[in-house]
Amino acid sequence: MTLHSLRVNSPRLIGLAAVGLAMSGCAMMQPDLTDKQRQTLQGELQNRFGAYQDCMVASADPYVGVESAPPSDIADAAQAACDGAFQAYEKAVTRYFTAVVSGSGQDEARQRAHEHAAEAGLKTRRQIMQRVLDQRI
């Protein structure tokens, strides 16, 4: 797994998942949100996710060669170091999810945004652990 695969594939998948979750699980779409506004919010979401992934890779890579450090410990340390980037990503997800639903769906949108961001964090953690393992071979 390379930084390229983390940056190119995952943001698109996360962005598409965000759109799907927001559209399928929340209340009616916000009628006055333009396509351009929606695209801007989605772009911000993807940029924040990319920054979070970059932080995770940069925080984990220096420890790949430390054989006594389990990949899970390296991933946990990277997550701790990248909490600010993750929080910025989670806020972008929340802005996106709440912007595309009507007022009656705001609470559910916030909950789904939190769940979506948490799942993306877990997936990124697993990707980092696999990255460490792959680089140790």
Side-chain angles (χ1 to χ4, degrees), residues 15-86:
L16 291 174
V19 171
L21 286 172
M23 293 175 84
S24 67
C26 295
M28 295 177 56
M29 294 294 288
Q30 189 68 273
D32 57 351
L33 188 67
T34 67
D35 284 340
K36 184 175 181 177
Q37 290 169 320
R38 192 175 292 118
Q39 288 173 349
T40 298
L41 288 168
Q42 187 174 6
E44 177 66 14
L45 184 154
Q46 290 177 341
N47 288 338
R48 294 292 183 179
F49 187 68
Y52 167 60
Q53 286 185 315
D54 286 347
C55 180
M56 290 289 287
V57 168
S59 296
D61 277 359
Y63 302 100
V64 168
V66 181
E67 295 290 329
S68 62
S72 59
D73 288 355
I74 293 171
D76 288 345
Q79 278 191 313
C82 298
D83 186 59
F86 178 79

Side-chain angles (χ1 to χ4, degrees), residues 69-79 125 128-130 132-133 136:
S72 59
D73 288 355
I74 293 171
D76 288 345
Q79 278 191 313
R125 181 182 182 276
I128 292 298
M129 290 185 330
Q130 188 61 51
V132 170
L133 291 170
R136 286 183 176 175

Side-chain angles (χ1 to χ4, degrees), residues 3-21 42-51 53 89 96 116 120 123-124 127:
L3 174 61
H4 178 72
S5 67
L6 283 175
R7 286 298 312 268
V8 172
N9 297 326
S10 295
R12 288 185 188 141
L13 294 175
I14 297 298
L16 291 174
V19 171
L21 286 172
Q42 187 174 6
E44 177 66 14
L45 184 154
Q46 290 177 341
N47 288 338
R48 294 292 183 179
F49 187 68
Q53 286 185 315
Y89 165 67
Y96 180 81
H116 177 79
K123 286 180 181 179
T124 300
Q127 288 174 329

